[in-house]
Amino acid sequence: MPSADLSRLAALHGVATSYDPSPDRTVAASVTAVTRALAALGVDAGTPEAVRAALAARERERAERLLPPTVVGRGTGVPPALAALPEGTRLLVRTEQGETRPSAEDLPPGVHRVTATAPDGRTGEAHLIVAPPGLPAPPARSYGLLVQLYSLLSRRSWGMGDLADLGELADWAGRTLGAGFVQINPLHAAVPGPPTDPSPYRPSSRRFPDPVHLRIEDVPEFAYLSESRGESEGERAGAEGRARLEGPLRRAAELREAVLDKGALIDRDAVWAAKKAALEAVVDEVPLGPGRLAAYRDFLAEQGQALEDHATWCALAEVHGPAWHTWPAPLRDPRSPGTARARRELAARVDFHSRLAWLTDTQLTAVQRTAREAGMPLGIVHDLAVGVHPEGSDAWAQQDTLAAGMSVGAPPDAFNARGQDWGLPPWRPDRLAACGYAPFRALLQALFRYAGALRIDHVMGLFRLWWVPRGLPPTEGTYVRYDAEAMLAVLVLEASRAGAVVIGEDLGTVEPGVRETLRERGVYGTSVLWFERDWEGDGRPLPPETWRADCLATVTTHDLPPTASRLTGEHVGLRDGLGLLTRPLAEEHAEAAADTAEWLDLLTRLGLLHGHGTDGTVPVRTDGTAATEEEARIQAVHRYLLRTPARMIGVWLPDGVGDRRPQNLPGTWDQYPNWRLPVADAQGRPVTLEDLTASPRLRALLDVVRTRTDRPGGAEGADGTGGPGGVSGTGGAGSAEGMGGADGTDGADRADAPGRT
């Protein structure tokens, strides 16, 4: 047990000395965990004498300071920290907009600087974040599609889904079916392989997207290499460039055919090798035109040091490998003279990687524009991972704001006695406050460039994170608290500037007050049908009318069994075959069957399960063919979502074609092909984007949730397509766990995911 002095010191630095795995149980954090967490915050607590000295210094510093490093205000009132200053204190506010004001009243939203001078002569200066009180709700109910982009292959993609495929899906879904959004996995830049970590939730950089998602043919300069050209100054370059493209284009066709026609897994490394070779040919052989060059230079200027750091890391990784901790000592510091010299020596490669970031940004922006022009009120919902790979570019460039020797994870609880270590270094809350949350602001600004909405994985991390000291098991961790008011102020400020919606992934055990605070600030939650039960009462499914309205409601997610697999119980057999069950197979099967039977009984009683003996009819697809009993059940659970007041309804795209395979199976690494499966039908045959959009089964499911009215929670229409509870897809604006652990798992075994195991 931590001593009284250590507990007081820890509390003053936001380090917890205990946690509550359940409402009726409190567990003390170990002295080692608390001491190591304080050390990562720059506080020596290794001996009783050091604890007393650090405690005295901290208490003295807090007593003497006039202002904390960052002050937060909401709306137009005076921020509480400024209102509490001694009477007679003079203020000088320098606003983000360039004004100088003697008062903190009626400040515009932004990140300002405030200087305070007290009557006793003390002075203080702080960052002043002023945000709107909250985000406005989307103006109308909408539905959308959920899909992992890499799994969405067309007959034009290079072995994995790309941004052109995403644009085609959004264009089709918006124009044809009135969908309001498409939610995808994080597109953050990955740590390069081979092998590349396939999890999109353990990236190299969260700020910059991965160029593996580029559609090469949509790069404007590509046309000058791929097309025949007559006598001109660039004829020779064109011929050489076309020759350089032959190999990548041939390889692209082979990769596409292998996945779609031969049952191969998606090979991200092979796809990137082909795309990288093609991009090098384009960049080497075709100079940018004057307008394109001006746009590229604007991008470089706008992104500044962050892009230079990322591109430098990419260039250095090509020479020394991606593990920057093993680089020559001078290169481990992004600000060292040695790194500056290496940047000059590798200038061509630094420019190449900067160019790729620009090209990816332009295609992402084009996709969002396509989605909005197709009538989608939100467009693309991007996903923000909770952290970054410890060897990636963000960890290299942001060492001063990351907690050395620490990893984010989850504590042990009734569902995972060992806890979890996700292998992601956390931000230091003290360093964030000292710089006015600049890294977080920059990250959000980058994502909101092309996002109509943003899903924040493990949104509870804005309040606190479980820190695990390096070399210790997750059981030896402790919670470290962040200034949630400041984090949320930054989030609301940047989202409001972009006119974007924010969705927090808040599944599982959540600290009291968190959901209420998020709701107050206009941040939506995430509700998954199978988990919406009265956990504190009889454990039965919550009546649909009792669901919250401010959420994205779905039936399943990327790291849960597809709906067909859950309804048939096939997911139990899959986990058994991989040795993941903790109880006898018969017991697991019986529990899964009872769960399904309970839901089917409820759906029948509510009149939502149509056909196959339930109401004397057989449902019919859009092409006139009879739907199967399985399809009727999948449609029924989506009708259930329509009975809830949820303002956003998400449809897992693979459910529309009967896919059985989860995209990620928690608890596995190489035992299961996590993050490498294409969308497939019930027999496991890959389904192309072209076949998806022509699928009568998918169309029938989407007809269930598409336009009838935007008034939620009403009775269904006679045709079963939603009636007054239907979802507006005609212009109203509008997943579950996505935290990739070190073992490639994603949430179902997490401590904040009750009932998943």
Side-chain angles (χ1 to χ4, degrees), residues 455-695:
R455 173 193 181 269
I456 299 183
D457 184 46
H458 193 63
V459 72
M460 296 80 79
L462 299 180
F463 296 77
R464 65 178 185 175
L465 285 171
W466 183 257
W467 285 20
V468 180
R470 181 182 300 147
L472 296 182
T475 53
E476 290 291 313
T478 189
Y479 276 114
V480 175
R481 189 163 295 282
Y482 293 77
D483 186 344
E485 185 69 14
M487 299 287 277
L488 287 171
V490 171
L491 178 61
V492 170
L493 173 64
E494 299 304 338
S496 63
R497 284 170 161 171
V501 170
V502 178
I503 304 162
E505 181 274 289
D506 59 349
L507 297 174
T509 303
V510 181
E511 185 182 13
V514 167
R515 287 196 175 106
E516 292 77 10
T517 300
L518 293 172
R519 182 183 306 116
E520 179 187 359
R521 303 310 299 271
V523 177
Y524 272 34
T526 302
S527 295
V528 177
L529 180 136
W530 309 111
F531 303 151
E532 290 298 309
R533 289 176 173 271
D534 182 9
W535 297 110
E536 297 181 2
D538 59 13
R540 297 181 65 81
L542 289 177
E545 65 274 9
T546 65
W547 285 37
R548 54 183 171 174
D550 50 348
C551 74
L552 167 63
T554 69
V555 176
T556 191
T557 71
H558 60 266
D559 59 357
L560 294 174
T563 305
S565 178
R566 180 178 286 273
L567 290 173
T568 60
E570 293 178 33
H571 65 296
V572 177
L574 174 62
R575 291 179 61 82
D576 178 62
L578 294 169
L580 299 177
L581 298 185
T582 58
R583 297 179 298 173
L585 176 60
E587 188 176 333
E588 295 274 0
H589 263 309
E591 181 177 290
D595 181 82
T596 299
E598 183 176 31
W599 277 103
L600 292 177
D601 177 66
L602 176 60
L603 296 171
T604 301
R605 285 189 284 108
L606 292 176
L608 303 177
L609 184 57
H610 300 171
H612 295 283
T614 59
D615 60 3
T617 65
V618 175
V620 178
R621 300 174 180 150
T622 54
D623 64 349
T625 60
T628 64
E629 182 178 11
E630 174 184 292
E631 291 175 63
R633 291 177 172 182
I634 293 175
Q635 292 176 15
V637 292
H638 286 86
R639 291 190 183 96
Y640 189 88
L641 295 184
L642 299 178
R643 287 287 186 93
T644 76
R647 292 179 65 85
M648 297 178 67
I649 304 294
V651 179
W652 178 239
L653 186 62
D655 274 351
V657 288
D659 201 342
R660 259 54 175 177
R661 305 178 299 180
Q663 284 295 314
N664 176 60
L665 188 59
T668 64
W669 176 238
D670 57 0
Q671 308 97 317
Y672 184 80
N674 296 315
W675 318 113
R676 289 172 287 172
L677 294 170
V679 176
D681 62 16
Q683 288 71 45
R685 296 177 299 228
V687 180
T688 66
L689 172 61
E690 294 85 353
D691 291 338
L692 274 167
T693 58
S695 167

Side-chain angles (χ1 to χ4, degrees), residues 36 115 138 165 180 294 305 340 349 382 443 512 523 540 558 585 627 636 659 687 726 729:
R36 292 276 298 272
T115 301
D165 295 326
Q305 184 70 56
R349 296 306 295 176
H382 284 271
L443 170 60
V523 177
R540 297 181 65 81
H558 60 266
L585 176 60
D659 201 342
V687 180

Side-chain angles (χ1 to χ4, degrees), residues 248-268:
L249 290 171
R250 181 171 58 253
R251 182 61 175 146
E254 294 170 352
L255 291 168
R256 180 171 57 245
E257 181 183 4
V259 174
L260 294 178
D261 302 326
K262 298 181 179 179
L265 298 175
I266 293 170
D267 187 340
R268 182 191 179 104

Side-chain angles (χ1 to χ4, degrees), residues 97-318:
Q97 293 77 15
E99 299 177 285
T100 300
R101 299 189 182 190
S103 167
E105 292 185 77
D106 298 322
L107 289 173
V111 181
H112 317 304
R113 293 288 290 178
V114 59
T115 301
T117 304
D120 61 7
R122 287 181 299 156
T123 62
E125 188 172 5
H127 302 275
L128 172 55
I129 302 173
V130 177
L135 293 169
R141 212 180 190 204
S142 63
Y143 90 94
L145 306 176
L146 282 58
V147 66
Q148 300 281 285
L149 178 56
Y150 59 83
S151 71
L152 182 70
L153 280 75
S154 71
R155 286 290 175 183
R156 295 179 178 177
S157 53
W158 287 34
M160 62 181 283
D162 60 33
L163 292 173
D165 295 326
L166 177 59
E168 291 282 0
L169 177 69
D171 212 6
W172 169 77
R175 294 182 186 278
T176 306
L177 295 171
F181 60 90
V182 176
Q183 178 181 302
I184 56 174
N185 54 284
L187 302 187
H188 308 320
V191 177
T196 297
D197 186 339
S199 172
Y201 294 94
R202 202 161 181 249
S204 172
S205 173
R206 295 189 294 173
R207 176 163 178 176
F208 295 101
D210 199 311
V212 75
H213 302 109
L214 284 168
R215 171 63 64 85
I216 303 299
E217 293 87 342
D218 285 354
V219 175
E221 288 73 30
F222 176 87
Y224 293 95
L225 292 184
S226 61
E227 297 177 2
S228 299
R229 298 164 67 190
E231 294 289 338
S232 70
E233 181 180 347
E235 182 179 11
R236 182 185 307 169
E240 293 175 354
R242 288 194 297 276
R244 291 179 65 179
L245 283 179
E246 289 178 1
L249 290 171
R250 181 171 58 253
R251 182 61 175 146
E254 294 170 352
L255 291 168
R256 180 171 57 245
E257 181 183 4
V259 174
L260 294 178
D261 302 326
K262 298 181 179 179
L265 298 175
I266 293 170
D267 187 340
R268 182 191 179 104
D269 289 326
V271 172
W272 175 232
K275 290 190 175 184
K276 183 179 179 183
L279 289 164
E280 287 172 337
V282 170
V283 171
D284 291 346
E285 305 291 347
V286 182
L288 295 173
R292 293 269 292 165
L293 181 59
Y296 175 46
R297 287 174 174 168
D298 283 350
F299 181 78
L300 292 176
E302 183 179 31
Q303 300 301 311
Q305 184 70 56
L307 177 57
E308 187 174 82
D309 286 343
H310 176 66
T312 299
W313 181 91
C314 292
L316 290 171
E318 291 177 330

